[in-house]
Amino acid sequence: MAAKRVHGDYPSPTDLSTVKRHKDLEFPEDTTTALEDDGAAAINLLSLLLQCAEYVATDHLREASILLSEISETCSPFGSSPERVVAYFAQALQARVISTYLSGACSCSQLSESPIPSQKIFAALQTFNSLSPLIKFSHFTANQAIFQALDGEDSVHIIDLDVMQGLQWPGLFHILASRPRKLRSIRITGFGPSSDVLASTGRRLADFAASLSLPFEFRPIVGKIGNVTDPSRLGRRPGEAVVVHWMQHRLYDVTGNGIDALEIVRRLRPNLITMVEQELSYDDGGGGCFLGRFVEALHYYSALFDALGDGLGEESGERFTVEQIVLATEIRNIVGGKRRGVMRWKEELSRVGFRPVSLRGNPATQAGLLLGMLPWNGYTLVEENGTLRLGWKDLSLLTASAWQSQPSD
């Protein structure tokens, strides 16, 4: 999915001669605004980076390496927001160049995306949650949609395709416990990469549920839903409402085999699917689209770095942790991505028989109240065709949507 503005399409670039060297390369003018604030040096860095991306796309690796050396001498992940963005994209390009050189000696399976996340990444995500409303928006909006869909239900099964540390669910437990009609049971099936992380997540959620007197059960599944060989493990119990939560990000692959994941979800016939996606395509590793997707990613992460820098100084250790561990990992996975055939999940859900559920009304109202209570400026919230988009200034960063099975299926 291409990055989209919260308000309208990209404007036509005015004078971009200093920041583009390729006839097909169009870089939206507002992406360079922050760079222009830092003067000609930052504009020159961007120009070098885009030229380097063109060299990588056309397999001129020697020329790319020369430019990358020049960039590394003049920008730093400890500098201004523009310098930090360029530094991390340059590192990602360098990793792609190295992997291309090594591809003759290694199989493609050895040149995969970044390793499975560790406690270090989870800790950085918690820091990110304290510095930015993006994660809060994801959790809060999905929880409101789920709560609304469960009206009248007393037995609930939530299938979280990437449960991580389960930070989302205590908020839902709290509002479910406040309902006049008490739950008979609530269980969560959580997918994740590590049995140890899943076990600790299950214990924390069980403790919180017990504090609210909620009857709770947690089932961990190590792996990804698209690789499940026995879908009956996910089956619903009589009288149980099923919710699937699907958070897409670029830290690692959440779903595994996309076609199989969709088929398993379709067969579950959930009462609701909640999905939160970054407004960003994933590079498929093919040179034909690499340049366009590189520019799109640079546009997107320039906004994220600008948002973090808006409230935190260059010396902030928390800001550096988030940028180095979370954002830089995503950038490396996009620029050096080897996976092909990335699915457009909303289109695929429609194809296999799901219809969108509007998030206007209470979910949109509550999300707006949440954003108004937080101490960040520059973020925008827009309801569009029943989806909710969280943006930084005029760029959409996250889209939340909800889905139900077609009644006729």
Side-chain angles (χ1 to χ4, degrees):
M1 179 190 302
K4 297 177 181 176
R5 292 181 174 280
V6 175
H7 304 294
D9 297 326
Y10 294 153
S12 300
T14 52
D15 181 13
L16 298 179
S17 59
T18 61
V19 295
K20 69 176 185 177
R21 305 275 188 89
H22 192 280
K23 61 184 175 62
D24 297 323
L25 190 60
E26 291 190 357
F27 196 79
E29 64 180 24
D30 64 328
T31 309
T32 65
T33 301
L35 290 161
E36 289 167 356
D37 291 341
D38 287 272
I43 292 292
N44 182 58
L45 277 176
L46 179 60
S47 178
L48 291 175
L49 185 68
L50 296 180
Q51 180 66 73
C52 184
E54 182 181 355
Y55 282 142
V56 170
T58 55
D59 289 328
H60 290 80
L61 302 185
R62 182 176 177 275
E63 291 84 350
S65 296
I66 293 171
L67 283 183
L68 285 169
S69 296
E70 184 176 345
I71 292 171
S72 66
E73 292 175 358
T74 55
C75 69
S76 165
F78 298 96
S80 65
S81 293
E83 281 188 42
R84 295 158 101 107
V85 173
V86 171
Y88 286 120
F89 270 88
Q91 290 176 13
L93 283 172
Q94 184 67 64
R96 186 179 178 112
V97 168
I98 292 172
S99 71
T100 303
Y101 277 126
L102 294 176
S103 61
C106 304
S107 67
C108 289
S109 62
Q110 292 173 285
L111 301 173
S112 59
E113 61 185 17
S114 299
I116 288 174
S118 63
Q119 291 289 355
K120 191 174 182 180
I121 283 185
F122 289 141
L125 284 170
Q126 288 182 317
T127 302
F128 194 19
N129 187 40
S130 70
L131 302 180
S132 164
L134 270 70
I135 296 176
K136 289 182 176 69
F137 166 81
S138 302
H139 294 173
F140 189 82
T141 303
N143 283 350
Q144 288 295 315
I146 293 169
F147 178 72
Q148 193 165 280
L150 294 179
D151 185 33
E153 303 286 350
D154 62 4
S155 184
V156 180
H157 181 197
I158 296 169
I159 301 172
D160 189 336
L161 303 192
D162 186 26
V163 71
M164 292 189 177
Q165 293 180 312
L167 299 179
Q168 171 171 349
W169 303 119
L172 180 65
F173 290 177
H174 186 76
I175 57 177
L176 286 175
S178 68
R179 297 191 321 177
R181 181 176 182 177
K182 301 303 180 183
L183 286 172
R184 285 191 300 111
S185 68
I186 178 169
R187 63 182 178 125
I188 291 179
T189 295
F191 284 85
S194 163
S195 58
D196 290 341
V197 171
L198 288 172
S200 61
T201 295
R203 287 192 296 269
R204 283 193 300 272
L205 291 178
D207 289 344
F208 191 85
S211 72
L212 297 173
S213 300
L214 289 175
F216 176 71
E217 176 186 341
F218 183 78
R219 171 179 288 183
I221 297 182
V222 177
K224 305 167 185 177
I225 189 170
N227 302 335
V228 169
T229 56
D230 182 14
S232 64
R233 297 174 65 190
L234 304 175
R236 74 171 71 209
R237 296 170 181 170
E240 188 176 58
V242 174
V243 172
V244 174
H245 180 62
W246 205 331
M247 173 65 189
Q248 293 289 334
H249 52 72
R250 302 299 187 268
L251 283 169
Y252 49 89
D253 174 27
V254 171
T255 54
N257 186 304
I259 296 297
D260 290 346
L262 278 169
E263 176 59 17
I264 291 170
V265 170
R266 185 191 68 81
R267 289 169 58 184
L268 286 170
R269 295 186 60 81
N271 297 61
L272 188 73
I273 298 173
T274 52
M275 178 172 286
V276 181
E277 299 176 274
Q278 290 173 301
E279 286 287 351
L280 181 65
S281 298
Y282 196 109
D283 176 41
D284 65 358
C289 357
F290 173 72
L291 272 178
R293 291 182 175 177
F294 182 90
V295 169
E296 179 192 336
L298 185 55
H299 189 200
Y300 183 91
Y301 285 96
S302 292
L304 278 180
F305 277 73
D306 185 43
L308 282 174
D310 188 63
L312 297 167
E314 294 178 2
E315 304 301 321
S316 169
E318 290 181 324
R319 175 186 176 186
F320 178 72
T321 295
V322 170
E323 291 172 346
Q324 183 192 45
I325 297 176
V326 178
L327 303 186
T329 299
E330 293 191 341
I331 290 168
R332 285 196 304 272
N333 287 338
I334 293 168
V335 173
K338 297 296 177 183
R339 287 187 288 141
R340 295 182 179 272
V342 176
M343 303 179 76
R344 297 178 182 271
W345 295 110
K346 290 201 282 286
E347 293 178 9
E348 291 298 321
L349 286 172
S350 296
R351 183 182 63 80
V352 299
F354 291 92
R355 61 183 177 84
V357 177
S358 176
L359 295 179
R360 65 171 57 97
N362 190 56
T365 300
Q366 296 298 320
L369 290 173
L370 171 71
L371 205 60
M373 293 167 57
L374 298 175
W376 296 292
N377 297 317
Y379 287 97
T380 57
L381 180 67
V382 172
E383 185 274 326
E384 181 179 315
N385 298 325
T387 66
L388 293 179
R389 297 178 183 270
L390 179 67
W392 173 249
K393 297 179 179 176
D394 59 353
L395 181 72
S396 181
L397 298 175
L398 291 181
T399 296
S401 60
W403 302 80
Q404 288 179 334
S405 299
Q406 296 279 9
S408 60
D409 285 355

